[in-house]
Amino acid sequence: MDLIDRELLNRVQEGIPVTEQPYAELAAGLGICEDDVMARLRSLMEAGVIRRMGGVFDSRRLGYKGTLCAMQVPQDRIEDVAAVVNRYPGITHNYLRRHAYNMWFTVLSRSQEMTEGILAEIKKDTGIENLLNLPSRRFFKVRVKFDVKKV
Amino acid sequence: MVFDETDKKLIVELQKDLPLVSRPYAVLGERVGLSEAEVLERVTSWQESGALRRVGAALRHRAVGFVANAMIVWRVPEARIGDVGELLASLPEVTHCYERDMLPEWPYNLYTMIHAKTEDECRSLAVKLSEMTGVDDYDVLSSYAELKKSSMRYFVE
């Protein structure tokens, strides 16, 4: 990655213009040509630096409810429990954390009933009853932006 | 907010990678049966209403050096939760900040996510945030493995 790639990454995290020629607009800001912007983005996607490049929606405004859940999973069962949890498309993030509650995942669905259905299935299929369900009550911030110039 | 069937189709397309062609919104329009101008109009109106946060790139943060992340859970007195939440949310190191229901077996009500280059850096940041907010009842849950990380696909089921 050269300096232009880094600056481009900072800018496309902020937002890609919603205009007829968004890459030409990005290119003008960077002093390079439109084809160069598209080629650089293509390589950054192929290299896996960019995970996704598209619309980022506010799930609540699309009518989806979100919650955070945690389970205490024995070390030797992590793989099979993760296989159960990860099969739901609405479970988008699942992390192991250093705590007695070691498996933490987020659930998005269209209703509380659907979320409860998913959690009941997870408990049944894993045999682990102790599951924290922590629905969000108030939202203060979501803004994931990494300053790649500082890296 | 109400979305018609064409809106939903366009939302599904917009969640895929934006085509790397000179006029990508025209390509989305072709897929859903709208003109480029109609696509731009709808997408802009969603941006204005807040339904669409942005069209943008999500990075694999491990690929750009931010390998450590921690969730800090805070127990904040009910009366202070608004002020503390806003203060923490205003900091660039904090990427997510939510108030959540407190449970008897889990007595924390404010959640922040932080990202850094090392786990130690996450821990010193937590100390700094505690000093700033005056909230000293907290726990730092460092992540040590990512089992799943994907983007939500709305309106596909």
Side-chain angles (χ1 to χ4, degrees):
Chain A
M1 273 196 282
D2 63 14
L3 278 174
I4 294 173
D5 281 336
R6 290 175 184 275
E7 183 56 38
L8 177 62
L9 283 173
N10 279 341
R11 293 188 184 204
V12 292
Q13 284 183 90
E14 288 284 340
I16 293 165
V18 180
T19 52
E20 284 179 12
Q21 289 181 280
Y23 304 120
E25 215 169 288
L26 285 166
L30 291 163
I32 57 178
C33 70
E34 184 187 29
D35 283 340
D36 196 5
V37 164
M38 292 191 285
R40 284 169 185 272
L41 290 173
R42 181 167 291 117
S43 328
L44 290 164
M45 292 171 91
E46 282 167 4
V49 175
I50 295 177
R51 179 166 59 84
R52 194 178 77 89
M53 196 175 74
V56 180
F57 290 89
D58 181 337
S59 54
R60 288 153 300 146
R61 302 221 191 202
L62 298 189
Y64 284 72
K65 311 249 175 246
T67 189
L68 176 70
C69 296
M71 291 169 94
Q72 299 190 4
V73 183
Q75 276 307 317
D76 60 349
R77 292 210 49 210
I78 285 184
E79 220 171 296
D80 73 276
V81 173
V84 171
V85 169
N86 292 355
R87 67 190 176 189
Y88 298 94
I91 297 182
T92 52
H93 296 61
N94 184 2
Y95 283 91
L96 291 179
R97 300 190 177 279
R98 295 187 210 291
H99 195 278
Y101 282 102
N102 54 349
M103 189 179 286
W104 289 80
F105 55 91
T106 55
V107 188
L108 275 173
S109 83
R110 296 215 209 216
S111 70
Q112 204 177 319
E113 293 68 43
M114 282 176 74
T115 298
E116 278 161 14
I118 291 171
L119 299 183
E121 270 177 31
I122 290 174
K123 286 182 191 177
K124 183 171 154 276
D125 292 352
T126 61
I128 297 175
E129 276 298 312
N130 185 1
L131 189 156
L132 299 179
N133 178 14
L134 305 159
S136 66
R137 190 190 282 184
R138 194 179 345 178
F139 161 83
F140 290 101
K141 181 186 195 177
V142 179
R143 190 69 184 95
V144 183
K145 194 206 162 203
F146 299 106
D147 190 348
V148 287
K149 272 189 163 172
K150 284 190 189 153
V151 176
Chain B
M1 198 156 186
V2 181
F3 299 96
D4 65 27
E5 286 313 305
T6 310
D7 284 334
K8 289 183 183 175
K9 277 189 206 156
L10 182 54
I11 288 171
V12 169
E13 290 305 319
L14 206 51
Q15 291 174 86
K16 299 177 183 167
D17 285 328
L18 195 67
L20 285 167
V21 296
S22 181
R23 300 177 74 162
Y25 297 102
V27 174
L28 300 190
E30 278 165 31
R31 293 184 195 157
V32 303
L34 292 174
S35 70
E36 180 185 43
E38 287 167 327
V39 169
L40 293 171
E41 193 186 317
R42 288 186 195 220
V43 176
T44 303
S45 78
W46 296 335
Q47 237 172 351
E48 283 165 359
S49 74
L52 177 69
R53 292 212 181 95
R54 67 191 164 277
V55 177
L59 306 191
R60 257 188 204 96
H61 44 265
R62 282 154 208 267
V64 289
F66 289 80
V67 291
N69 84 67
M71 184 174 69
I72 311 172
V73 293
W74 309 87
R75 183 177 195 167
V76 185
E78 200 61 42
R80 290 201 57 215
I81 196 144
D83 289 346
V84 173
E86 270 159 38
L87 172 61
L88 291 173
S90 73
L91 305 171
E93 299 95 331
V94 172
T95 57
H96 300 65
C97 184
Y98 283 91
E99 179 189 358
R100 300 186 179 279
D101 293 344
M102 213 185 250
L103 300 175
E105 69 273 35
W106 191 255
Y108 300 100
N109 54 0
L110 193 69
Y111 291 69
T112 52
M113 195 66 71
I114 55 171
H115 293 265
K117 279 152 214 155
T118 64
E119 220 172 297
D120 280 348
E121 232 178 275
C122 282
R123 294 201 170 264
S124 22
L125 183 57
V127 173
K128 186 180 120 188
L129 299 182
S130 168
E131 282 164 2
M132 280 177 78
T133 56
V135 179
D136 55 10
D137 194 351
Y138 68 94
D139 203 350
V140 182
L141 286 81
S142 300
S143 83
Y144 63 93
E146 186 179 272
L147 300 174
K148 185 173 183 185
K149 173 84 182 269
S150 60
S151 293
M152 184 58 182
R153 315 293 307 250
Y154 301 101
F155 301 131
V156 289
E157 72 280 276

